[in-house]
Amino acid sequence: MKFNIQEELKKLPARPGVYIMHNSKDEVIYVGKAIVLKNRVRQYFQSDRNKTPKIREMVSKIAWFEYIVVDSEREALVLECNLIKKYWPKYNTMLKDDKQYPYIRITTQEMYPTVSIARERKKDGARYFGPYTTGMDVRSTLDLIEKSYKIRRCRKVMKGEKVCDRPCLYHSMGQCPAPCQGNLSREEYNKEINAVISFLSGDYVHIAKQLEERMKAYAAELEFEKAAETRDVLNSIRKLDEKQKADQSDFNDRDFVAVAAKNDKAVACCFFMREGKLVGRENFYLSNVESEEKADILESFLKQFYSGTPHIPKEIYLSLEIQDSELIEGWLSELKGQKVSIKVPQKGDKLKLVQMAFSNAVMILEKDEQRLTDMEAKTTGALNEIKNLLNLPTLFRIESYDISNTQGFENVASMVVFENGTPKKSDYRKFKTRTIIGADDFGSMREVLTRRFEHYFRERDDESKKADSFQRLPDLLLIDGGRGQVNSVLEVLNGMKLNIPVCGMVKDDRHRTRGLWFNDEEVPIDTHSEGFHLVTRIQDETHRFAIEYHKSLRGKEQTHSILDDIPGIGKKRRIELMRNYSSLKEIKDADVEELASIEGMNIKAAEAVKAFLNKKTEPEGE
């Protein structure tokens, strides 16, 4: 039945919840929360007078909407954040950065703790320091710790004073005290660990004094090489101390956040203060911000950033007042397990740091304006070129496939995903064919695409599953091949009643892409255009991913082959079969007597091979 928007608006409840807008292709284009669903959703379909151009465009694309009722506005906020991350709606302001920040982890729950880098903060009894805003910062700090303190470098589980017969290579290199040999008592070792904890908490004076005394002792003993090495470490400590100019009277963790926006681009700058020390700064780019108020952009950033970061500070200072400040405070307090405050400073050092964050955001936005423009030309601009060239209604997600085989004995496929002109590596997938024997690219492509879209039909309505690459349909399938490959893909799509455009890449005599095969004809493309460059980037990435997969398989195939799965076929028989035949298809086509005549084989083994390979080619379910 056709969705009647005006009738459905009358059915909206006067309760808090989340609304989800869909376009005519059933894609989620916007997700929002509301204190009262009835009032908020109706506003979109009233007069256009006060709507921004972005909202007007979004409303014109709405084919239907749905909503989820919750018990409180805070629950609506949490659900909104989760759905935005799941669907990446086109008209929501989106944070482009989704990195995880590293920590330094000290396993204080162990008898002899280790110090290492961790990407996730867990409740495992260990002590975590950070997050550090770049991997370089955390590696430099860990390097300083390892040079300055007597701590073990291995990952042995130590439950006693001596756990192994001989120390590791680190001890031989003078980089580990070897407590595993009983060379260092638990009390002595814990003194070193406590010193590391003091250092990571910002106590640089004590370690600097120790290093200076050590350097002088080495010099007095004429060990000038060790003295010079100690001097370099000491200089690094002093430089680190000089960077911490934002000491506070207390040791609360704080973030200082400001946003700068221009046209449809925005940058959020965040200064991180940990235990009273300014430990770093990070810039984040936001998209889909055209006509948005800065306060709304800042609020969107907070919701997306803090729903994904492993560390939430006690205090967050902003450059602007935001509408849902109290609501976000309550949500973050619940996530952290203790009170979190969101404030807009009016004076003093905190105001200076927020102003510094804003100045940095403005500077980055101005500095990167040309770079962002160039990036946009290579991504969204290139997408628009392809969309117009192929006359597509929309183009955001492209999936590309390539078929390869290992010496005719293993067919594999790579699936690469580009969204908004950039690779989405979390959605990449690898396939081994299950029903195709030998170098049959068309058959392999049919099988792989069938399995991919069977996944889609199974998982699209399963809300219990996390967002997955198979749960979203592409706007375009890009195939590394011409008419034959495109037709094999269309055969699958037609059989599954899916209407997805399929485009092949046509090669010239030198195996270079010269055009696109679309709708049963070759479409010429300007080889100097950004659209062409995007196609070749996708093609190269698909090929790279397949080659990478092949390398790992080749390593495994040296010890294992599909022939090893046949009862009665061991390593020697497998080698003889591969020596006499160039592919599995040739083995399958050979008769029993021919196979039995191969050295090491017999009738029983030959019959086992034939039975297994014939069974292998029968269709299988997922």
Side-chain angles (χ1 to χ4, degrees):
M1 292 178 63
K2 184 175 174 59
F3 188 87
N4 190 319
I5 289 178
Q6 294 305 319
E7 286 300 317
E8 294 300 325
L9 288 173
K10 296 175 185 177
K11 300 175 186 177
L12 286 164
R15 292 183 59 185
V18 172
Y19 53 92
I20 307 163
M21 306 298 195
H22 296 256
N23 64 10
S24 58
K25 293 181 68 178
D26 205 24
E27 298 167 325
V28 175
I29 59 174
Y30 190 78
V31 173
K33 65 171 179 61
I35 303 175
V36 180
L37 282 166
K38 189 173 190 175
N39 298 342
R40 185 71 186 94
V41 178
R42 279 180 173 180
Q43 290 176 356
Y44 287 102
F45 301 95
Q46 293 171 356
S47 171
D48 285 347
R49 194 185 321 168
N50 297 321
K51 292 190 181 76
T52 64
K54 185 175 90 171
I55 294 298
R56 284 200 295 270
E57 181 183 327
M58 186 266 289
V59 172
S60 70
K61 300 285 178 66
I62 297 173
W64 67 282
F65 63 80
E66 59 181 317
Y67 54 87
I68 302 170
V69 175
V70 295
D71 292 331
S72 67
E73 191 179 0
R74 186 182 299 178
E75 287 184 11
L77 173 67
V78 174
L79 182 57
E80 178 196 31
C81 290
N82 291 337
L83 291 176
I84 287 173
K85 281 192 168 185
K86 178 176 181 178
Y87 293 116
W88 279 71
K90 180 179 179 179
Y91 292 97
N92 281 91
T93 297
M94 297 302 302
L95 173 62
K96 292 185 177 180
D97 186 283
D98 61 352
K99 68 181 72 172
Q100 286 186 306
Y101 294 100
Y103 288 84
I104 288 180
R105 176 176 180 258
I106 303 179
T107 57
T108 49
Q109 76 276 23
E110 296 182 347
M111 182 177 286
Y112 289 90
T114 59
V115 183
S116 60
I117 297 174
R119 282 281 170 185
E120 204 176 343
R121 188 170 184 165
K122 300 177 180 177
K123 293 182 179 179
D124 55 3
R127 185 156 181 186
Y128 291 83
F129 292 87
Y132 292 81
T133 55
T134 68
M136 185 178 294
D137 287 342
V138 73
R139 281 190 292 273
S140 299
T141 304
L142 191 60
D143 187 49
L144 275 176
I145 290 170
E146 289 171 345
K147 288 179 180 177
S148 308
Y149 300 96
K150 297 176 182 178
I151 56 172
R152 68 187 182 103
R153 305 279 292 276
C154 67
R155 297 291 178 266
K156 292 185 178 80
V157 177
M158 295 188 59
K159 296 182 179 179
E161 295 291 338
K162 187 172 181 179
V163 297
C164 62
D165 295 329
R166 63 177 185 175
C168 63
L169 184 61
Y170 286 119
H171 176 68
S172 303
M173 296 167 63
Q175 297 179 4
C176 177
C180 59
Q181 294 292 293
N183 294 350
L184 205 64
S185 70
R186 188 177 179 184
E187 290 72 24
E188 290 175 306
Y189 189 85
N190 281 334
K191 283 182 182 178
E192 295 292 314
I193 289 296
N194 289 333
V196 173
I197 291 172
S198 296
F199 169 73
L200 291 172
S201 299
D203 182 9
Y204 303 128
V205 176
H206 181 69
I207 181 60
K209 186 177 179 181
Q210 279 186 333
L211 288 171
E212 192 167 359
E213 290 173 358
R214 193 185 301 175
M215 179 183 68
K216 289 177 180 177
Y218 283 140
E221 295 168 5
L222 304 182
E223 296 189 40
F224 298 117
E225 188 174 335
K226 290 184 178 179
E229 185 179 331
T230 307
R231 178 203 60 203
D232 293 340
V233 175
L234 179 60
N235 289 337
S236 298
I237 295 287
R238 285 171 174 164
K239 286 179 183 177
L240 196 60
D241 193 27
E242 288 172 5
K243 288 172 67 180
Q244 314 303 326
K245 294 180 180 177
D247 289 335
Q248 300 290 314
S249 56
D250 58 61
F251 295 97
N252 286 339
D253 290 354
R254 299 183 173 98
D255 285 355
F256 299 84
V257 187
V259 162
K262 186 176 181 182
N263 300 327
D264 59 343
K265 300 176 181 66
V267 171
C269 179
C270 190
F271 281 21
F272 304 102
M273 185 173 285
R274 300 293 176 258
E275 299 190 357
K277 302 286 184 180
L278 191 64
V279 298
R281 178 210 72 190
E282 192 73 25
N283 300 306
F284 304 87
Y285 295 97
L286 297 111
S287 60
N288 300 340
V289 301
E290 190 174 5
S291 307
E292 294 279 344
E293 296 292 332
K294 285 184 183 177
D296 294 334
I297 298 171
L298 181 56
E299 185 174 311
S300 293
F301 169 75
L302 293 178
K303 289 190 288 188
Q304 293 181 60
F305 177 65
Y306 288 109
S307 67
T309 185
H311 182 76
I312 298 171
K314 190 172 182 180
E315 298 171 0
I316 301 171
Y317 290 90
L318 307 179
S319 56
L320 296 166
E321 293 279 1
I322 60 173
Q323 184 176 353
D324 286 337
S325 177
E326 290 185 13
L327 178 64
I328 295 174
E329 269 186 355
W331 168 54
L332 294 180
S333 298
E334 189 177 310
L335 287 178
K336 186 175 176 64
Q338 66 183 91
K339 174 67 176 173
V340 175
S341 300
I342 296 177
K343 304 173 183 177
V344 179
Q346 303 300 318
K347 59 181 180 180
D349 291 338
K350 296 179 180 68
L351 176 60
K352 288 179 182 177
L353 280 166
V354 166
Q355 290 173 337
M356 195 187 305
F358 178 71
S359 298
N360 273 267
V362 171
M363 179 184 69
I364 293 297
L365 194 61
E366 291 175 350
K367 179 182 175 182
D368 287 359
E369 188 172 9
Q370 186 58 49
R371 185 184 67 83
L372 290 171
T373 301
D374 293 343
M375 186 186 299
E376 187 175 347
K378 291 178 180 179
T379 55
T380 55
L383 278 179
N384 285 330
E385 283 185 22
I386 297 170
K387 183 180 81 170
N388 294 333
L389 182 70
L390 303 180
N391 196 25
L392 300 176
T394 184
L395 185 57
F396 175 74
R397 180 184 173 97
I398 296 175
E399 291 183 10
S400 177
Y401 294 81
D402 190 18
I403 301 293
S404 301
N405 63 78
T406 50
Q407 300 174 346
F409 284 85
E410 188 81 78
N411 290 313
V412 300
S414 60
M415 166 183 161
V416 162
V417 178
F418 272 57
E419 286 191 352
N420 206 29
T422 59
K424 190 178 182 184
K425 295 192 176 183
S426 61
D427 279 10
Y428 287 15
R429 294 293 182 269
K430 304 166 185 173
F431 299 85
K432 280 186 182 180
T433 58
R434 299 175 176 177
T435 63
I436 303 301
I437 297 295
D440 181 357
D441 286 358
F442 293 171
S444 298
M445 185 66 76
R446 281 192 294 269
E447 181 195 318
V448 167
L449 268 295
T450 299
R451 287 164 56 189
R452 182 263 181 269
F453 290 114
E454 282 177 349
H455 267 296
Y456 164 72
F457 286 117
R458 278 200 305 272
E459 299 177 11
R460 62 176 175 177
D461 300 321
D462 191 347
E463 292 296 332
S464 66
K465 292 203 173 194
K466 294 177 72 175
D468 184 85
S469 177
F470 294 135
Q471 289 178 299
R472 301 193 62 185
L473 289 177
D475 300 309
L476 178 67
L477 284 173
L478 194 60
I479 307 301
D480 190 12
R483 176 188 297 183
Q485 282 286 30
V486 169
N487 288 340
S488 68
V489 174
L490 288 172
E491 181 183 324
V492 172
L493 296 178
N494 292 336
M496 304 180 90
K497 294 182 171 54
L498 287 170
N499 184 22
I500 301 172
V502 183
C503 184
M505 291 172 277
V506 183
K507 307 289 197 309
D508 60 18
D509 295 337
R510 302 173 73 177
H511 206 69
R512 296 179 303 187
T513 301
R514 71 171 188 233
L516 303 175
W517 185 265
F518 186 69
N519 283 348
D520 286 329
E521 63 179 6
E522 184 176 331
V523 180
I525 184 171
D526 182 0
T527 56
H528 300 290
S529 68
E530 292 295 349
F532 177 79
H533 292 154
L534 176 59
V535 168
T536 54
R537 280 199 302 276
I538 296 172
Q539 185 180 22
D540 291 344
E541 178 67 357
T542 310
H543 188 60
R544 179 203 65 78
F545 192 52
I547 292 296
E548 190 178 87
Y549 188 29
H550 260 180
K551 283 182 179 178
S552 67
L553 286 180
R554 281 199 297 268
K556 294 174 184 176
E557 286 303 319
Q558 290 173 2
T559 58
H560 181 81
S561 164
I562 189 174
L563 297 175
D564 289 326
D565 297 332
I566 304 174
I569 301 299
K571 183 178 178 180
K572 290 183 179 179
R573 284 174 172 171
R574 170 173 63 85
I575 291 172
E576 287 302 321
L577 286 169
M578 294 178 71
R579 184 176 292 160
N580 284 271
Y581 299 96
S582 62
S583 71
L584 285 173
K585 187 175 186 304
E586 285 190 14
I587 298 175
K588 178 179 175 293
D589 291 342
D591 56 38
V592 172
E593 290 74 17
E594 183 182 332
L595 291 173
S597 66
I598 294 173
E599 184 178 348
M601 293 286 288
N602 55 38
I603 290 293
K604 186 177 179 181
E607 287 174 345
V609 170
K610 291 288 288 183
F612 182 87
L613 293 182
N614 285 330
K615 183 180 178 182
K616 177 74 177 172
T617 56
E618 293 173 4
E620 299 179 25
E622 271 294 320

